[in-house]
Amino acid sequence: DSSIVSSSNVAAAAEAYALSLRAGLAGFTLDPATGAVNVAATVGAGNYSMTYQLCDRLTPPHCTTAQVTVTVSSVVAQPDTGAVTVGAASTAVANVAANDSINGAPATLGLGGNATVAASGTWPAGITLDPATGAVNVAATVAAGTYTMNYQLCDRSTPPVCVQSMITVQASLAAGLIGVPTLGQWALLWLGLMMAGLGWREHRRWA
């Protein structure tokens, strides 16, 4: 039989036939027991074609060959940092994808771009990621502090290849402003005043 076996039914054929990779590439292996094509982490991005052989289990076997094509994507997301002043709505990071890459090319968002971004996990209230532009926006209501969030970068393949990275935003008070004390800080202040008052009363009593 000279029919060609497509990559979609390689695994199904493995049970009744014998499989072997005839024209293999470095980093690619074919599991003859399952028909799975495995790719090592060292393989770079690109499209790779290999020839495999399919044989029945007769003696002697009848064999034919076919092509299997594997697309390897490289999606790299780098960490981002930004700083804002509390009390005013602002943008901490203009575009989280600006330092990322897809298959070695700069990641670009929007219509005609090669990538998409989305918030991953739980983000603090008032801090949002714009998936159209990659901007990290901070509302005026966000308190001073350091905030860490995760985002997901995906290529536009089907299904997409995705990775995650981290965003750190430092929200600070404007120069010269003193922050409003927290409840714990008020308690410590009150305790300090009480202790100071008691010490003054003891001083008066022994004076």
Side-chain angles (χ1 to χ4, degrees):
D1 187 350
S2 60
S3 61
I4 300 300
V5 180
S6 67
S7 59
S8 62
N9 57 19
V10 169
E15 185 68 25
Y17 300 90
L19 293 169
S20 61
L21 200 60
R22 298 194 65 189
L25 298 172
F28 293 87
T29 56
L30 174 64
D31 186 338
T34 65
V37 177
N38 301 310
V39 184
T42 54
V43 175
N47 295 318
Y48 299 86
S49 293
M50 291 148 283
T51 301
Y52 69 92
Q53 179 175 262
L54 174 67
C55 298
D56 63 20
R57 296 187 181 274
L58 299 176
T59 303
H62 297 86
C63 300
T64 188
T65 59
Q67 290 282 323
V68 58
T69 300
V70 177
T71 299
V72 179
S73 297
S74 172
V75 179
V76 179
Q78 302 289 351
D80 297 276
T81 59
V84 296
T85 300
V86 299
S90 55
T91 298
V93 180
N95 178 10
V96 295
N99 58 345
D100 300 338
S101 64
I102 303 293
N103 296 329
T108 54
L109 305 176
L111 187 64
N114 60 7
T116 63
V117 294
S120 179
T122 303
W123 280 43
I127 303 180
T128 57
L129 174 63
D130 186 342
T133 64
V136 178
N137 299 311
V138 182
T141 54
V142 173
T146 301
Y147 300 89
T148 300
M149 297 79 60
N150 292 323
Y151 76 97
Q152 180 174 264
L153 173 75
C154 299
D155 65 11
R156 291 186 176 270
S157 62
T158 305
V161 177
C162 301
V163 297
Q164 290 193 8
S165 191
M166 182 182 296
I167 306 165
T168 302
V169 173
Q170 179 67 49
S172 304
L173 295 169
L177 292 182
I178 300 176
V180 177
T182 64
L183 185 61
Q185 290 170 333
W186 277 119
L188 289 173
L189 179 61
W190 180 77
L191 180 62
L193 290 173
M194 283 190 61
M195 295 299 292
L198 289 173
W200 180 79
R201 289 175 62 184
E202 287 296 320
H203 174 74
R204 293 273 298 182
R205 188 161 67 90
W206 291 100

